[in-house]
Amino acid sequence: MTPPDGDDRNEWSTSRYEGSHSFVYEYGEDVIELLAPQAGERILDLGCGTGHLTDRIAESGAEVIGLDRSEEMIEEARSTYPDYRFVHADARDFSFEKPFDAVFSNAALHWIQEQDALLESVSAALRPEGRFVAEFGGAGNVSAIVEAIRAELATRGYSAETPWYFPSIGEHASTLEEHGFEVRYATLFDRPTELESGANGLTGWLDMFADSFFSPLSDAEREDVVSSVEERLRPSLFEDGVWVADYRRIRVVAISPGE
Ligand code: BEZ
């Protein structure tokens, strides 16, 4: 669940992630139900972060390998869960010696614009008729937050591209089909998500996840934009001392081509 580097997207900190953004993997428990891992299966956790969901999947008796492109996350995962194998690799270009029965991914795919490269790697990693089970941000995800950032940037003469891939069901299912997958299940739903750290929740979220919007700004401008974004969003997203982000999820189960 780490953005590709080589661009100006966020540098992730495991301590900030563990401390204030644990909801990311806590919500992932529902996706594990959709995966329905079985004892003896070989499963890849793509974008495993600090490995908590890898551990939850392994409770089923499956053999699970975690993969993430952040070395820091992988080191943390290895130190917390020394019994599992964690691999530092890029989801757009990886391969393994033995095929997997399933590839699982929670809250990672929206960081990857290059879905063709990703799906080629996933397809090659799965056995024939293996399953690909994923949840990530879908069309309209965090749109209120994005609109507020864009509006505040525009008043200061700046603009910024959205760094995320938030597809509709039609768009994503078509891409999966182009890669030979059969889409068995797809849903798009609103999941308003409480941010941790009370009144500081939105600032913390922006710092952790939305850094690239602010890269052209000086520190002072950034502070000003962030506080104006907060004021814009306060009436709609702040209630009883808690920020609630307008998350919208897409969940997909797709089966890889047969032999
Ligand atoms: C998400 O999980 O929906 C998300 C996380 C970080 C940035 C954007 C979206």
Side-chain angles (χ1 to χ4, degrees), residues 179-210:
H179 286 268
F181 284 90
E182 183 177 79
V183 179
R184 294 277 177 89
Y185 173 86
T187 183
L188 181 71
F189 60 98
D190 287 320
R191 197 197 62 209
T193 298
E194 288 192 3
L195 304 181
E196 293 167 32
S197 310
N200 296 322
L202 183 62
T203 319
W205 189 92
L206 293 171
D207 281 350
M208 181 87 185
F209 297 122

Side-chain angles (χ1 to χ4, degrees), residues 72-114:
E72 203 188 333
M73 293 274 182
I74 286 291
E75 273 166 20
E76 179 77 13
R78 284 181 184 145
S79 112
T80 312
Y81 302 108
D83 293 343
Y84 309 136
R85 181 172 164 205
F86 290 99
V87 175
H88 175 225
D90 189 324
R92 298 166 298 181
D93 183 18
F94 67 89
S95 61
F96 282 87
E97 60 292 352
K98 274 169 60 186
F100 291 93
D101 297 293
V103 173
F104 167 90
S105 184
N106 178 59
L109 300 194
H110 47 238
W111 291 107
I112 301 171
Q113 301 286 352
E114 301 89 347

Side-chain angles (χ1 to χ4, degrees), residues 107 110-111 137 141-142 164 166 205 209 247 249:
H110 47 238
W111 291 107
N141 193 39
V142 295
W164 305 301
F166 293 151
W205 189 92
F209 297 122
Y247 273 27
R249 317 314 285 166

Side-chain angles (χ1 to χ4, degrees), residues 1 23-35 45-47 53 103-111 132-138 141 165-167 172 185-191 193 247-254:
M1 56 189 67
F23 62 84
V24 176
Y25 53 81
E26 284 161 6
Y27 275 113
E29 304 256 340
D30 292 351
V31 198
I32 294 179
E33 274 179 41
L34 197 59
L35 171 69
D45 180 3
L46 193 63
L53 294 179
V103 173
F104 167 90
S105 184
N106 178 59
L109 300 194
H110 47 238
W111 291 107
F132 181 30
V133 178
E135 176 179 310
F136 56 105
N141 193 39
Y165 169 72
F166 293 151
H172 193 62
Y185 173 86
T187 183
L188 181 71
F189 60 98
D190 287 320
R191 197 197 62 209
T193 298
Y247 273 27
R248 184 176 288 168
R249 317 314 285 166
I250 184 166
R251 266 186 201 166
V252 182
V253 178

